[in-house]
Amino acid sequence: MSIRNATLEIESGFDDDETTPSLTSTADSQTRAVGASTILHKGLFRSHSFCLVGPHYLGLIFIHFFLWGASFFFAGVFESQEHTYLSAFVYVQAAITNFFLLKCGLSDPGIVVGPKTLPPEVVENQDLYRQYKYCDLCAIFQPPETAHCATCGVCIAGLDHHCPWMSKCIGEKNMPAFRYFNMSWLVLLGSVIVGVFGI
């Protein structure tokens, strides 16, 4: 369907609030899969946009256990060397890092499910109209700064990249958690380097 043909389907009663409906507002009790992602807990997903795992869930599981395994190993080494404070810091930082890992990896990245038609005020405003692109795969109009991810099979608002280690895309909604995760593991790595090399 072309973008011009799709605009012919505009409904006169289109509500302004529905210009970009959220995934959580449209997920009903029967919804389990969203593109290539899976909703693990529908209640948590509808209330907090949480418990959505992407197609590369094995990457998320691997990173989770790798971080804990490495942290326990080095914390044990530091404890045996009587670096008690450094050992405790590694445990705490590992917990913080894994929190942001799961927060990013299980949150809705910003999946867009609409609009399927554009309201008249958008069509009549050429500057605003040109900001929308039609996605033939999702059969929706992509709002500004939205792109389709072929791996996840959905359109993502503010798509930055697809990250297999997070199991899904990094988009508008999980980008803050992704940034905090990166800062956290760098601090964790720095503390291990300090302990190993005695810097």
Side-chain angles (χ1 to χ4, degrees):
M1 177 186 286
S2 69
I3 193 166
R4 283 294 176 186
N5 290 336
T7 58
L8 296 177
E9 299 176 9
I10 294 172
E11 301 169 4
S12 58
F14 197 98
D15 187 0
D16 289 345
D17 294 337
E18 296 174 355
T19 303
T20 309
S22 67
L23 176 61
T24 52
S25 67
T26 58
D28 56 33
S29 58
Q30 303 303 316
T31 303
R32 180 60 73 177
V34 182
S37 299
T38 304
I39 298 174
L40 300 178
H41 190 284
K42 287 177 279 188
L44 277 174
F45 183 72
R46 280 197 296 269
S47 60
H48 296 94
S49 296
F50 191 67
C51 279
L52 178 76
V53 67
H56 293 124
Y57 59 89
L58 291 178
L60 180 65
I61 293 171
F62 171 77
I63 292 297
H64 176 70
F65 284 105
F66 174 79
L67 280 172
W68 274 122
S71 298
F72 274 110
F73 173 78
F74 284 108
V77 169
F78 300 151
E79 197 168 346
S80 67
Q81 296 173 347
E82 299 184 354
H83 296 308
T84 308
Y85 292 115
L86 185 57
S87 176
F89 181 82
V90 168
Y91 282 127
V92 171
Q93 193 60 36
I96 293 171
T97 303
N98 274 282
F99 169 79
F100 287 118
L101 171 70
L102 296 177
K103 174 74 174 170
C104 179
L106 296 178
S107 293
D108 173 16
I111 296 174
V112 176
V113 294
K116 295 187 181 297
T117 59
L118 292 176
E121 58 268 24
V122 172
V123 178
E124 292 166 6
N125 186 329
Q126 288 299 310
D127 291 333
L128 187 58
Y129 176 75
R130 277 193 286 267
Q131 295 180 38
Y132 284 80
K133 295 177 293 182
Y134 189 75
C135 178
D136 291 300
L137 297 172
C138 295
I140 64 167
F141 283 93
Q142 295 176 341
E145 299 182 9
T146 300
H148 184 86
C149 174
T151 305
C152 289
V154 289
C155 289
I156 308 287
L159 177 64
D160 187 79
H161 68 286
H162 182 89
C163 180
W165 304 115
M166 293 294 163
S167 85
K168 63 177 67 161
C169 287
I170 305 302
E172 184 179 89
K173 290 187 177 180
N174 63 353
M175 178 60 81
F178 182 71
R179 287 173 176 158
Y180 286 128
F181 166 74
N182 282 316
M183 288 189 287
S184 296
W185 76 257
L186 286 171
V187 172
L188 179 60
L189 178 62
S191 65
V192 169
I193 292 173
V194 168
V196 170
F197 295 101
I199 298 174

